Amino acid sequence: APTTDHASSSSQQQQLDNASSSSPPLPARAYLSTDVLQESPRRHAIARCDTSRSTPRISETETEATLAQPSAAVQGGTAPLVQALKSTAAQDVSCFHFPGHNRGKAAPSLLSNLIGAETFSHDLPELPELDDLFYPKGVILDAQNRAAELFGSSKTWFLINGSTCGIQAAVMATCSPGDYIIIPRNCHISVISALVLSGAVPKYIVPEYNSAWDIAGGVTPSQVDKALKELEKDGKKVGAVLVTSPTYHGICSDVQGIVDVCRPLHIPVIVDEAHGAHFRFHHSFPSTAIEQGADLAVQSTHKVLSSLTQSSMLHMARGLVDADKVSQCLQLLQSSSPSYLLLSSLDAARAQLSENSKSFDEPVAMALETKDQLMVIPGLSVLDLSCFASDFPAIDPLRVTLSASDLHLSGYEADDILEEHQIVSELVGTQAVTFAVNLGTSRQDVQKLVQCAKHLSDKYMSANESRFSKHNYVRSPLDKFSVKLSPREAFFTKKRRVCIEDSLGEICGELICPYPPGIPVLIPGEVVTQDSLSYLINVRDQGMTISGAADGELNSIMVCNL
């Protein structure tokens, strides 16, 4: 799991000061530096050349003229919420309000010594000068408007319950109980919780699956079109289509093609873009969901961008979705005591991007160079679009997914060896390990990764020469499934616990999900199949964490007592 560096109180104050500086920002999509990767051999695989239907990209010939006239909405480059938080914390007042640490005066020393006393002084409640997250009229509204301008949306909401609450709100705002929603079977766990909350019924699309990598890809417009026609034939009402793009491994779906299928039917398209918050800020990145015409897109600003963990954004394009309904749903789902540290970190992350047009030049260059170097190491492979037969339009260049299966090492084994050399990955699977390059990645970091990968190859290539065997291909746990109850029906049905080996043929009563990546293998209401059972026992025996199940050791599972 990723680690977090805790800055001293003086460096935290400096970061607040930097975030509220007044250097001029760049307008949306003015991030078109041409001095990096002009002729990358991978360019065709990672760049989307079509134009936006709702938010035009700024072409390289337009950039200079646009920079000369920044939008008034983002003019000045300040972070209004950060500045308000800083000013309020500096007040010399006697406090008779929550939280109980009283602006740090009673902060637990164990934590204040770790993260700094000033963190507590900025941990403030909903004071009048800090605005109201659910009825914003001041600095929060200003900060959200600046974010909408930069990210190319008509409206943006700040989220303090992560992208999970954004997904839940998007589904609840578009689907009534009993409506069908088309979703990929490799959707995130938050989508299933959204089905329980909304009462929407899933129509699953099974994505292409590569068994050698144990990785699922995206979904295609033709799959969505087929699902819509099947539901129409059965007389079912469709509330929305939800797409995961990019996936955790960076694989993007053709969102614009899916929008083209849905728009004539007036069906909104929701995109779980949690792993693509950075896409708008470099010319080599894929198009964003909003640029491709999506109605709602949820982004984890804390993943590749620099806000605090648990902070995200929900972006909307004008059209099919009622903004007031989205706001209403968010108020139901989010805490009534929002953290201003989380909120201000979103404002600061936006300001950081506004102030530096070349933020991602170096990370992109490093990521592509690292992939090129890893590809030539004997026994190692790097995931790219050629691993899939479907015509997926792009893959995130900042995701580096490595397989050592030719060295007869599982993803878990390879990760354990790399961790011994102080290489900490983002995601481990049965067959591969994924590394996320971001704004804080250094040259030293990627050089160390490559050197450790060479060591891995040298050691295990020679060790395995005498015992070559077939690849340990993994059967997809997503291929064959049978839905007997909706997730909501299964959630509220009485359950009983059975030994996992005895669960075959039973209706699963809980969400069973290896985590990360947070993709469910069994969803409430599905029949337990031999494929799903074998897969779960395999990952359990390899020590993978299982989320959602009442028995975290997965010796037993809850099934519906029908």
Side-chain angles (χ1 to χ4, degrees), residues 98-149:
F98 302 139
H101 59 68
N102 203 304
R103 302 198 182 194
K105 299 181 186 71
S109 59
L110 286 175
L111 189 56
S112 63
N113 290 339
L114 181 66
I115 65 176
E118 288 204 16
T119 302
F120 285 92
S121 70
H122 292 90
D123 180 31
L124 298 171
E126 292 178 289
L127 301 171
E129 58 268 35
L130 295 180
D131 206 1
D132 183 337
L133 177 62
F134 301 114
Y135 300 97
K137 297 179 181 179
V139 289
I140 292 179
L141 180 61
D142 188 6
Q144 290 185 155
N145 286 343
R146 290 168 186 256
E149 176 75 14

Short mmCIF file of all heavy atoms in Angstrom, two decimals, residues 98-149:
data_model
loop_
_atom_site.label_atom_id
_atom_site.label_comp_id
_atom_site.label_asym_id
_atom_site.label_seq_id
_atom_site.Cartn_x
_atom_site.Cartn_y
_atom_site.Cartn_z
N PHE A 98 -17.04 22.98 18.54
CA PHE A 98 -16.36 21.71 18.24
C PHE A 98 -15.32 21.94 17.15
O PHE A 98 -15.37 22.95 16.45
CB PHE A 98 -17.39 20.67 17.78
CG PHE A 98 -18.47 20.40 18.80
CD1 PHE A 98 -19.80 20.25 18.40
CD2 PHE A 98 -18.17 20.30 20.15
CE1 PHE A 98 -20.80 20.00 19.32
CE2 PHE A 98 -19.16 20.05 21.08
CZ PHE A 98 -20.48 19.90 20.66
N PRO A 99 -14.38 21.04 16.94
CA PRO A 99 -14.11 19.81 17.68
C PRO A 99 -13.45 20.05 19.01
O PRO A 99 -12.91 21.14 19.27
CB PRO A 99 -13.18 19.03 16.73
CG PRO A 99 -12.49 20.09 15.94
CD PRO A 99 -13.50 21.18 15.76
N GLY A 100 -13.45 19.00 19.84
CA GLY A 100 -13.04 19.15 21.23
C GLY A 100 -11.56 19.43 21.45
O GLY A 100 -11.17 19.83 22.55
N HIS A 101 -10.73 19.25 20.43
CA HIS A 101 -9.32 19.57 20.63
C HIS A 101 -9.09 21.09 20.66
O HIS A 101 -7.98 21.54 20.92
CB HIS A 101 -8.42 18.90 19.59
CG HIS A 101 -8.73 19.25 18.17
ND1 HIS A 101 -8.51 20.51 17.64
CD2 HIS A 101 -9.21 18.49 17.15
CE1 HIS A 101 -8.84 20.51 16.36
NE2 HIS A 101 -9.28 19.30 16.03
N ASN A 102 -10.17 21.87 20.37
CA ASN A 102 -10.15 23.33 20.51
C ASN A 102 -8.99 23.97 19.75
O ASN A 102 -8.11 24.60 20.33
CB ASN A 102 -10.08 23.70 22.00
CG ASN A 102 -10.61 25.10 22.26
OD1 ASN A 102 -10.14 26.07 21.67
ND2 ASN A 102 -11.59 25.20 23.16
N ARG A 103 -9.02 23.79 18.44
CA ARG A 103 -8.01 24.35 17.54
C ARG A 103 -6.59 23.94 17.94
O ARG A 103 -5.64 24.70 17.83
CB ARG A 103 -8.12 25.87 17.47
CG ARG A 103 -9.50 26.35 17.01
CD ARG A 103 -9.49 27.77 16.53
NE ARG A 103 -10.84 28.20 16.16
CZ ARG A 103 -11.13 29.30 15.45
NH1 ARG A 103 -10.15 30.09 15.05
NH2 ARG A 103 -12.37 29.61 15.17
N GLY A 104 -6.48 22.70 18.42
CA GLY A 104 -5.18 22.14 18.73
C GLY A 104 -4.74 22.28 20.17
O GLY A 104 -3.74 21.67 20.57
N LYS A 105 -5.46 23.05 20.97
CA LYS A 105 -5.04 23.26 22.36
C LYS A 105 -5.07 21.96 23.17
O LYS A 105 -4.28 21.79 24.10
CB LYS A 105 -5.92 24.32 23.02
CG LYS A 105 -5.88 25.69 22.36
CD LYS A 105 -6.77 26.67 23.10
CE LYS A 105 -6.86 28.01 22.36
NZ LYS A 105 -7.64 27.89 21.10
N ALA A 106 -5.98 21.07 22.81
CA ALA A 106 -6.09 19.79 23.52
C ALA A 106 -5.82 18.62 22.58
O ALA A 106 -6.34 17.52 22.78
CB ALA A 106 -7.48 19.66 24.14
N ALA A 107 -5.00 18.85 21.56
CA ALA A 107 -4.71 17.80 20.59
C ALA A 107 -3.93 16.66 21.25
O ALA A 107 -3.05 16.91 22.07
CB ALA A 107 -3.90 18.37 19.43
N PRO A 108 -4.23 15.42 20.92
CA PRO A 108 -3.47 14.29 21.46
C PRO A 108 -2.00 14.41 21.05
O PRO A 108 -1.70 14.53 19.86
CB PRO A 108 -4.13 13.07 20.82
CG PRO A 108 -5.47 13.53 20.36
CD PRO A 108 -5.32 14.97 20.01
N SER A 109 -1.11 14.39 22.01
CA SER A 109 0.30 14.63 21.72
C SER A 109 0.88 13.58 20.79
O SER A 109 1.75 13.87 19.96
CB SER A 109 1.10 14.69 23.02
OG SER A 109 0.97 13.48 23.75
N LEU A 110 0.40 12.33 20.91
CA LEU A 110 0.93 11.28 20.04
C LEU A 110 0.74 11.62 18.57
O LEU A 110 1.60 11.36 17.73
CB LEU A 110 0.24 9.94 20.35
CG LEU A 110 0.67 9.24 21.64
CD1 LEU A 110 -0.18 7.99 21.87
CD2 LEU A 110 2.15 8.87 21.60
N LEU A 111 -0.43 12.23 18.25
CA LEU A 111 -0.70 12.57 16.85
C LEU A 111 -0.14 13.94 16.48
O LEU A 111 0.39 14.11 15.38
CB LEU A 111 -2.21 12.53 16.59
CG LEU A 111 -2.65 12.64 15.13
CD1 LEU A 111 -1.97 11.57 14.28
CD2 LEU A 111 -4.16 12.53 15.00
N SER A 112 -0.26 14.91 17.37
CA SER A 112 0.26 16.25 17.04
C SER A 112 1.77 16.22 16.87
O SER A 112 2.32 16.96 16.04
CB SER A 112 -0.14 17.27 18.11
OG SER A 112 0.43 16.94 19.36
N ASN A 113 2.47 15.37 17.61
CA ASN A 113 3.91 15.23 17.42
C ASN A 113 4.24 14.61 16.07
O ASN A 113 5.31 14.84 15.50
CB ASN A 113 4.52 14.37 18.53
CG ASN A 113 4.52 15.06 19.87
OD1 ASN A 113 4.42 16.29 19.95
ND2 ASN A 113 4.59 14.29 20.95
N LEU A 114 3.30 13.82 15.58
CA LEU A 114 3.51 13.15 14.30
C LEU A 114 3.20 14.05 13.11
O LEU A 114 3.99 14.14 12.16
CB LEU A 114 2.64 11.89 14.23
CG LEU A 114 2.75 11.03 12.96
CD1 LEU A 114 4.13 10.42 12.84
CD2 LEU A 114 1.68 9.93 12.98
N ILE A 115 2.07 14.73 13.15
CA ILE A 115 1.63 15.50 11.98
C ILE A 115 1.70 17.00 12.20
O ILE A 115 1.42 17.76 11.27
CB ILE A 115 0.20 15.10 11.56
CG1 ILE A 115 -0.82 15.47 12.64
CG2 ILE A 115 0.13 13.62 11.24
CD1 ILE A 115 -2.26 15.20 12.23
N GLY A 116 2.04 17.45 13.39
CA GLY A 116 2.19 18.87 13.63
C GLY A 116 0.95 19.50 14.25
O GLY A 116 -0.18 19.18 13.89
N ALA A 117 1.18 20.41 15.18
CA ALA A 117 0.07 21.07 15.89
C ALA A 117 -0.76 21.91 14.95
O ALA A 117 -1.97 22.08 15.15
CB ALA A 117 0.62 21.92 17.02
N GLU A 118 -0.15 22.48 13.90
CA GLU A 118 -0.89 23.36 13.00
C GLU A 118 -1.96 22.60 12.22
O GLU A 118 -2.94 23.20 11.76
CB GLU A 118 0.06 24.07 12.05
CG GLU A 118 0.89 25.15 12.72
CD GLU A 118 1.37 26.20 11.75
OE1 GLU A 118 0.81 26.26 10.63
OE2 GLU A 118 2.28 26.94 12.10
N THR A 119 -1.77 21.31 12.05
CA THR A 119 -2.83 20.52 11.41
C THR A 119 -4.11 20.62 12.22
O THR A 119 -5.21 20.81 11.66
CB THR A 119 -2.41 19.05 11.29
OG1 THR A 119 -1.20 18.98 10.54
CG2 THR A 119 -3.48 18.23 10.60
N PHE A 120 -4.01 20.53 13.52
CA PHE A 120 -5.18 20.62 14.38
C PHE A 120 -5.76 22.03 14.39
O PHE A 120 -6.97 22.21 14.48
CB PHE A 120 -4.83 20.18 15.81
CG PHE A 120 -4.68 18.70 15.95
CD1 PHE A 120 -3.45 18.09 15.79
CD2 PHE A 120 -5.78 17.90 16.22
CE1 PHE A 120 -3.31 16.72 15.92
CE2 PHE A 120 -5.66 16.53 16.34
CZ PHE A 120 -4.42 15.93 16.19
N SER A 121 -4.92 23.04 14.33
CA SER A 121 -5.44 24.42 14.34
C SER A 121 -6.26 24.72 13.09
O SER A 121 -7.09 25.62 13.09
CB SER A 121 -4.28 25.42 14.47
OG SER A 121 -3.50 25.45 13.29
N HIS A 122 -6.00 23.96 12.01
CA HIS A 122 -6.78 24.13 10.78
C HIS A 122 -7.93 23.13 10.66
O HIS A 122 -8.65 23.14 9.66
CB HIS A 122 -5.86 24.00 9.56
CG HIS A 122 -4.88 25.12 9.43
ND1 HIS A 122 -3.62 25.09 10.01
CD2 HIS A 122 -4.97 26.32 8.81
CE1 HIS A 122 -2.98 26.20 9.73
NE2 HIS A 122 -3.77 26.97 9.02
N ASP A 123 -8.10 22.27 11.65
CA ASP A 123 -9.21 21.32 11.65
C ASP A 123 -10.42 22.01 12.27
O ASP A 123 -10.71 21.86 13.46
CB ASP A 123 -8.82 20.07 12.43
CG ASP A 123 -9.93 19.03 12.46
OD1 ASP A 123 -10.70 18.97 11.48
OD2 ASP A 123 -10.02 18.29 13.46
N LEU A 124 -11.13 22.75 11.44
CA LEU A 124 -12.21 23.63 11.91
C LEU A 124 -13.58 23.13 11.46
O LEU A 124 -13.70 22.40 10.48
CB LEU A 124 -11.98 25.06 11.38
CG LEU A 124 -10.68 25.72 11.85
CD1 LEU A 124 -10.46 27.03 11.10
CD2 LEU A 124 -10.71 25.96 13.35
N PRO A 125 -14.64 23.54 12.19
CA PRO A 125 -16.00 23.16 11.80
C PRO A 125 -16.58 24.15 10.80
O PRO A 125 -15.88 25.03 10.29
CB PRO A 125 -16.74 23.21 13.14
CG PRO A 125 -16.08 24.35 13.84
CD PRO A 125 -14.62 24.30 13.45
N GLU A 126 -17.87 24.04 10.55
CA GLU A 126 -18.55 24.88 9.56
C GLU A 126 -18.82 26.27 10.14
O GLU A 126 -19.95 26.62 10.45
CB GLU A 126 -19.84 24.21 9.10
CG GLU A 126 -19.60 22.95 8.28
CD GLU A 126 -20.88 22.26 7.88
OE1 GLU A 126 -21.52 21.69 8.79
OE2 GLU A 126 -21.24 22.29 6.70
N LEU A 127 -17.79 27.07 10.23
CA LEU A 127 -17.93 28.46 10.67
C LEU A 127 -18.43 29.30 9.49
O LEU A 127 -18.22 28.95 8.33
CB LEU A 127 -16.58 28.98 11.17
CG LEU A 127 -15.98 28.20 12.35
CD1 LEU A 127 -14.56 28.66 12.63
CD2 LEU A 127 -16.86 28.36 13.59
N PRO A 128 -19.11 30.41 9.78
CA PRO A 128 -19.71 31.21 8.70
C PRO A 128 -18.72 31.60 7.59
O PRO A 128 -19.05 31.56 6.41
CB PRO A 128 -20.24 32.45 9.43
CG PRO A 128 -20.51 31.96 10.81
CD PRO A 128 -19.44 30.94 11.12
N GLU A 129 -17.49 31.95 7.98
CA GLU A 129 -16.52 32.41 6.98
C GLU A 129 -15.96 31.27 6.13
O GLU A 129 -15.29 31.49 5.13
CB GLU A 129 -15.38 33.16 7.65
CG GLU A 129 -14.60 32.37 8.70
CD GLU A 129 -15.15 32.55 10.10
OE1 GLU A 129 -16.39 32.68 10.26
OE2 GLU A 129 -14.34 32.57 11.05
N LEU A 130 -16.27 30.01 6.54
CA LEU A 130 -15.78 28.85 5.78
C LEU A 130 -16.84 28.25 4.87
O LEU A 130 -16.58 27.26 4.19
CB LEU A 130 -15.26 27.79 6.75
CG LEU A 130 -14.03 28.19 7.57
CD1 LEU A 130 -13.60 27.05 8.49
CD2 LEU A 130 -12.87 28.59 6.66
N ASP A 131 -18.04 28.81 4.86
CA ASP A 131 -19.10 28.39 3.94
C ASP A 131 -19.69 27.04 4.36
O ASP A 131 -19.25 26.43 5.33
CB ASP A 131 -18.56 28.36 2.50
CG ASP A 131 -19.65 28.56 1.45
OD1 ASP A 131 -20.82 28.75 1.83
OD2 ASP A 131 -19.33 28.55 0.25
N ASP A 132 -20.69 26.60 3.63
CA ASP A 132 -21.44 25.37 3.92
C ASP A 132 -21.34 24.46 2.70
O ASP A 132 -21.75 24.84 1.60
CB ASP A 132 -22.89 25.73 4.23
CG ASP A 132 -23.75 24.53 4.62
OD1 ASP A 132 -23.39 23.40 4.26
OD2 ASP A 132 -24.79 24.73 5.28
N LEU A 133 -20.80 23.26 2.88
CA LEU A 133 -20.60 22.34 1.76
C LEU A 133 -21.89 22.04 1.02
O LEU A 133 -21.90 21.89 -0.20
CB LEU A 133 -19.96 21.04 2.27
CG LEU A 133 -19.74 19.94 1.21
CD1 LEU A 133 -18.79 20.40 0.12
CD2 LEU A 133 -19.23 18.65 1.88
N PHE A 134 -23.01 21.96 1.73
CA PHE A 134 -24.25 21.53 1.10
C PHE A 134 -25.10 22.69 0.57
O PHE A 134 -26.01 22.47 -0.23
CB PHE A 134 -25.05 20.68 2.08
CG PHE A 134 -24.29 19.46 2.55
CD1 PHE A 134 -23.90 19.32 3.86
CD2 PHE A 134 -23.94 18.48 1.65
CE1 PHE A 134 -23.19 18.22 4.28
CE2 PHE A 134 -23.22 17.36 2.05
CZ PHE A 134 -22.84 17.23 3.37
N TYR A 135 -24.81 23.91 1.02
CA TYR A 135 -25.48 25.10 0.48
C TYR A 135 -24.41 26.18 0.26
O TYR A 135 -24.46 27.24 0.87
CB TYR A 135 -26.56 25.60 1.44
CG TYR A 135 -27.64 24.59 1.73
CD1 TYR A 135 -27.59 23.80 2.88
CD2 TYR A 135 -28.70 24.39 0.84
CE1 TYR A 135 -28.56 22.85 3.15
CE2 TYR A 135 -29.68 23.44 1.10
CZ TYR A 135 -29.60 22.68 2.25
OH TYR A 135 -30.57 21.73 2.50
N PRO A 136 -23.45 25.93 -0.60
CA PRO A 136 -22.31 26.85 -0.72
C PRO A 136 -22.70 28.16 -1.38
O PRO A 136 -23.38 28.19 -2.41
CB PRO A 136 -21.33 26.06 -1.59
CG PRO A 136 -22.18 25.13 -2.39
CD PRO A 136 -23.33 24.77 -1.51
N LYS A 137 -22.26 29.25 -0.77
CA LYS A 137 -22.50 30.58 -1.32
C LYS A 137 -21.24 31.43 -1.30
O LYS A 137 -21.23 32.53 -1.85
CB LYS A 137 -23.60 31.29 -0.52
CG LYS A 137 -24.96 30.61 -0.59
CD LYS A 137 -26.00 31.36 0.24
CE LYS A 137 -27.36 30.67 0.18
NZ LYS A 137 -28.37 31.38 1.01
N GLY A 138 -20.18 30.94 -0.63
CA GLY A 138 -18.97 31.72 -0.47
C GLY A 138 -17.75 31.02 -1.02
O GLY A 138 -17.68 30.68 -2.20
N VAL A 139 -16.77 30.75 -0.13
CA VAL A 139 -15.47 30.25 -0.59
C VAL A 139 -15.56 28.83 -1.15
O VAL A 139 -14.80 28.48 -2.07
CB VAL A 139 -14.44 30.31 0.55
CG1 VAL A 139 -14.05 31.74 0.84
CG2 VAL A 139 -14.94 29.60 1.81
N ILE A 140 -16.47 27.99 -0.65
CA ILE A 140 -16.61 26.65 -1.22
C ILE A 140 -17.18 26.73 -2.63
O ILE A 140 -16.71 26.06 -3.56
CB ILE A 140 -17.49 25.75 -0.33
CG1 ILE A 140 -16.76 25.45 1.00
CG2 ILE A 140 -17.82 24.44 -1.04
CD1 ILE A 140 -17.56 24.58 1.95
N LEU A 141 -18.19 27.57 -2.81
CA LEU A 141 -18.75 27.77 -4.15
C LEU A 141 -17.68 28.30 -5.11
O LEU A 141 -17.56 27.82 -6.24
CB LEU A 141 -19.93 28.73 -4.09
CG LEU A 141 -20.62 29.03 -5.43
CD1 LEU A 141 -21.19 27.77 -6.04
CD2 LEU A 141 -21.70 30.09 -5.25
N ASP A 142 -16.91 29.27 -4.65
CA ASP A 142 -15.83 29.82 -5.47
C ASP A 142 -14.83 28.74 -5.85
O ASP A 142 -14.43 28.59 -7.01
CB ASP A 142 -15.14 30.95 -4.69
CG ASP A 142 -14.13 31.72 -5.55
OD1 ASP A 142 -14.05 31.47 -6.77
OD2 ASP A 142 -13.43 32.59 -4.98
N ALA A 143 -14.43 27.93 -4.86
CA ALA A 143 -13.45 26.87 -5.11
C ALA A 143 -14.00 25.82 -6.07
O ALA A 143 -13.29 25.34 -6.97
CB ALA A 143 -13.05 26.21 -3.79
N GLN A 144 -15.26 25.45 -5.92
CA GLN A 144 -15.86 24.46 -6.82
C GLN A 144 -16.01 25.01 -8.23
O GLN A 144 -15.82 24.28 -9.21
CB GLN A 144 -17.22 24.01 -6.27
CG GLN A 144 -17.10 23.16 -5.00
CD GLN A 144 -18.43 22.60 -4.51
OE1 GLN A 144 -18.47 21.59 -3.84
NE2 GLN A 144 -19.53 23.28 -4.81
N ASN A 145 -16.34 26.29 -8.36
CA ASN A 145 -16.44 26.89 -9.68
C ASN A 145 -15.10 26.93 -10.39
O ASN A 145 -15.00 26.70 -11.60
CB ASN A 145 -17.01 28.30 -9.58
CG ASN A 145 -18.51 28.32 -9.28
OD1 ASN A 145 -19.20 27.31 -9.47
ND2 ASN A 145 -19.02 29.44 -8.82
N ARG A 146 -14.04 27.22 -9.63
CA ARG A 146 -12.70 27.22 -10.22
C ARG A 146 -12.31 25.81 -10.67
O ARG A 146 -11.67 25.62 -11.71
CB ARG A 146 -11.69 27.75 -9.20
CG ARG A 146 -11.82 29.24 -8.91
CD ARG A 146 -10.99 29.64 -7.69
NE ARG A 146 -11.22 31.03 -7.32
CZ ARG A 146 -10.37 32.02 -7.55
NH1 ARG A 146 -9.23 31.78 -8.17
NH2 ARG A 146 -10.66 33.25 -7.17
N ALA A 147 -12.70 24.81 -9.88
CA ALA A 147 -12.42 23.43 -10.25
C ALA A 147 -13.20 23.05 -11.51
O ALA A 147 -12.66 22.39 -12.41
CB ALA A 147 -12.77 22.49 -9.10
N ALA A 148 -14.46 23.46 -11.59
CA ALA A 148 -15.26 23.16 -12.78
C ALA A 148 -14.62 23.76 -14.03
O ALA A 148 -14.56 23.12 -15.08
CB ALA A 148 -16.69 23.69 -12.60
N GLU A 149 -14.12 24.98 -13.91
CA GLU A 149 -13.46 25.64 -15.04
C GLU A 149 -12.23 24.86 -15.48
O GLU A 149 -12.01 24.61 -16.66
CB GLU A 149 -13.08 27.07 -14.64
CG GLU A 149 -12.30 27.84 -15.70
CD GLU A 149 -13.16 28.31 -16.85
OE1 GLU A 149 -14.39 28.29 -16.72
OE2 GLU A 149 -12.59 28.70 -17.89
#
